[in-house]
Each structure stands twice: as C-alpha cells, then as structure tokens.
Amino acid sequence: MILSTKGRYGLKAAFELALNYGGGPVSLKTISSKYNISENYLEQLLAKLRKQGYIETVRGVNGGYMLARKPEEITVGMILRALEGEMTPSDCLSGEVCTRESICATRVIFEKIEMGINNVIDNTYLGDMVKQNSKVMQEAAK
Amino acid sequence: MILSTKGRYGLKAAFELALNYGGGPVSLKTISSKYNISENYLEQLLAKLRKQGYIETVRGVNGGYMLARKPEEITVGMILRALEGEMTPSDCLSGEVCTRESICATRVIFEKIEMGINNVIDNTYLGDMVKQNSKVMQEAAK
DNA sequence: TAATAGTTGACAATTTTACTAGGGTATACT
DNA sequence: AGTATACCCTAGTAAAATTGTCAACTATTA
C-alpha cells in the first residue's frame, strides 16, 4: 500500500471541497461524517493543507473549510505531497548518494517508477475529478 | 517514500544475482558487504524470494544464492511484489468496497497511479538492468 | 571433522500511523 | 452580553510497521 490514510483521507476531503467550490465553507463534521473519518484526525490533515495554502477556513458558526484556489488550479500531486511528503520510491532519489556504481542500476528503476507516479498526480486536477464524477453520476442516473 | 528497505535492498540483491547469473552461487556475505546491508536482514528478504521461486540456494562451503530463472524472465515487479506485497496505492483497489459514490472519484486516481507503477515494474526485467548497467559502465570507462 | 554457509524462530529498538483528549479562539445569532 | 458553533493547537498514546539482532540448527565440502 503506497498511500497512507493521510493521503487517502486528505484527497477525499479536498475532492469534497472541490465539489462544493463556490458554495461557501464546508464544516469538518460534514466531511468526516460523510466519509466516515475521525473528526480530530481529519482536522490535522486539513491543517496541513491550510498551512500550505491550498485551503482556507472560516471560523465561528456556519464556518468551515474551502479551497483557496480554483479546483482547476490544484493538482492531486499538490495535495498528496502536502500530506505524505515527497513521493519518491527510494532515498536514492532524494539525497542519499550512490557511491557504488552498481546501485545505480536500481536507481534507474526507481526513477522510472517516480516518473510514472508523478505523471499521473501532477497532471490530474481536482477540477478533473469533479468533471469525472459528474459524468459517472449522470451515467448512474440513467 | 514508497518503497521500504525490503523492496530496495531486495531489488539490489536480485540485481547482483543477475549480474552473476551463470557464474555459480553468490554468498550472502558478498552481497551484504557490497551493498552495506545487514546480513541477517538481507537473509530474510532472500528467503522470501526463494519461497516464491525466484532464487535458489546452495548450502555449505562455496554455497550461496543464485537466480532460479534467467534474468530475462524475472521482472522488477515480481521481485518487488514478493517483498512488499501488492503495489496498490489504496485499499480501495485491493478489497475495500466503495459504498459512497463520491469516493469513486478518488478511486480513479488511485487506479491511474497503480497503472503507472505497474507499467514500469512489469516491463522491466533484471536482464534489462544488467544491460543498462554494462552500458553505463562502458561510458564511465571512456 | 572442522569450517563454511544457509535456515529458522524469537525478540527488540525505533519510527510511523492513526488516532484521542482537551483547552483555546473566533464568529454569529439571539 | 451570552452562548453555541466551529476552527486551532498541542500533547499523548496504542498499535503496527519497519528494521533490524541473536542464537541455535542443519547441510555441505575440504
């Protein structure tokens, strides 16, 4: 399993905010009960997203969370990295120096895997997910 | 970090065996000292690969480990899955049922990520790594 | 039969994960 | 003003995963 609940829960929450974009703040309680995620835990995940500038909050009665930018401007990669850290398959790619030549053969593989992942998460926007979802919903309604 | 040391160390060891394919068994000590991996820990990883039929062992003096098949017949994916389990980004793809419709929007992302990873690891063979490596070595020698 | 080398199972330190608990602060509504 | 609502923040914590270590055992060969 590549993604922990941090990334999975966080992406679900971000998607929910994207669905409600432009419709005022969505409360923590609403999200956590809809997706069956612990309220306090989700709060911590959303705090990370807020600190990195992806979401904004409104305090007080009728407050809640909302995307700080358009869903078309936030990629899945931004959300996942904010929550999980850099998505590298190996230390080798994020600092560790390869002294032994032969190790580099495995490094090539890790680089390819990383490219494969980044290719997906950096080219998919929350807006795409919303579109995709409404398509699926229309199909289901038929 | 997507891969734990299991996958990283194990792939390095498998690559080493591929380098020495056809040249008799390679001892645990040789591999662990070359890659600076704990002998006993690496032993556990190699045991997994043996149980899944990717490597064979010879006990006693001059014994060691060797690939059970040609490097051209073993993919990186086989090695990584044997060590890390299925490479899914989310439970959602490996059993967990999606009851709430909206969750499926995130599921689509996870599927794409999984495809991206599988595309790399299932299409790269240990033999490819050996070839790649000898190319790099030749370049370095110039 | 001694030395080498893999086999097995128990166990242990450390880190990460996935929470829980609870007090603090801002806002809106009455 | 008071109160309920809802985010804010820090600390703690149990369980799991990670990353090993140790020791006794078995097989092989020189």
Side-chain angles (χ1 to χ4, degrees), chain B residues 85-113:
Chain B
E86 198 52 42
M87 302 287 287
T88 58
S90 161
D91 260 344
C92 192
L93 302 180
S94 59
E96 186 185 281
V97 182
C98 288
T99 47
R100 294 169 199 76
E101 352 67 62
S102 41
I103 291 179
C104 290
T106 61
R107 182 190 173 120
V108 171
I109 302 302
F110 299 145
E111 281 173 350
K112 283 187 186 172
I113 293 175

Side-chain angles (χ1 to χ4, degrees), chain A residues 4-6 9 38 40-41 43-44 59-62 84:
Chain A
S4 69
T5 55
K6 282 183 204 163
Y9 291 176
S38 147
N40 291 6
Y41 184 49
E43 190 174 33
Q44 292 169 35
R59 292 169 76 152
V61 178
N62 295 324
E84 304 258 1

Side-chain angles (χ1 to χ4, degrees), chain B:
Chain B
M1 182 112 78
I2 287 165
L3 294 178
S4 71
T5 55
K6 281 183 204 161
R8 306 209 304 276
Y9 291 175
L11 183 57
K12 285 174 183 179
F15 168 70
E16 185 65 25
L17 297 185
L19 275 182
N20 286 283
Y21 184 70
V26 182
S27 80
L28 183 61
K29 200 169 282 181
T30 304
I31 305 175
S32 68
S33 70
K34 179 164 181 182
Y35 292 93
N36 210 29
I37 302 170
S38 149
E39 222 174 300
N40 296 38
Y41 185 47
L42 183 57
E43 193 171 36
Q44 291 169 38
L45 304 181
L46 292 177
K48 281 194 181 183
L49 294 180
R50 183 178 56 86
K51 277 172 193 159
Q52 305 211 28
Y54 299 121
I55 65 180
E56 283 173 350
T57 53
V58 179
R59 291 167 78 150
V61 178
N62 295 324
Y65 298 87
M66 51 216 290
L67 290 187
R69 313 187 207 167
K70 290 181 196 164
E72 291 75 27
E73 292 173 1
I74 302 177
T75 66
V76 171
M78 290 174 185
I79 301 295
L80 295 183
R81 287 199 190 87
L83 296 164
E84 304 257 1
E86 198 52 42
M87 302 287 287
T88 58
S90 161
D91 260 344
C92 192
L93 302 180
S94 59
E96 186 185 281
V97 182
C98 288
T99 47
R100 294 169 199 76
E101 352 67 62
S102 41
I103 291 179
C104 290
T106 61
R107 182 190 173 120
V108 171
I109 302 302
F110 299 145
E111 281 173 350
K112 283 187 186 172
I113 293 175
E114 188 176 17
M115 281 174 57
I117 294 172
N118 289 342
N119 186 43
V120 173
I121 67 179
D122 292 332
N123 289 302
T124 309
Y125 291 81
L126 292 183
D128 299 328
M129 293 177 68
V130 173
K131 271 182 219 157
Q132 176 89 31
N133 187 59
S134 64
K135 240 190 247 173
V136 173
M137 291 295 98
Q138 279 178 7
E139 282 300 317
K142 280 181 188 172

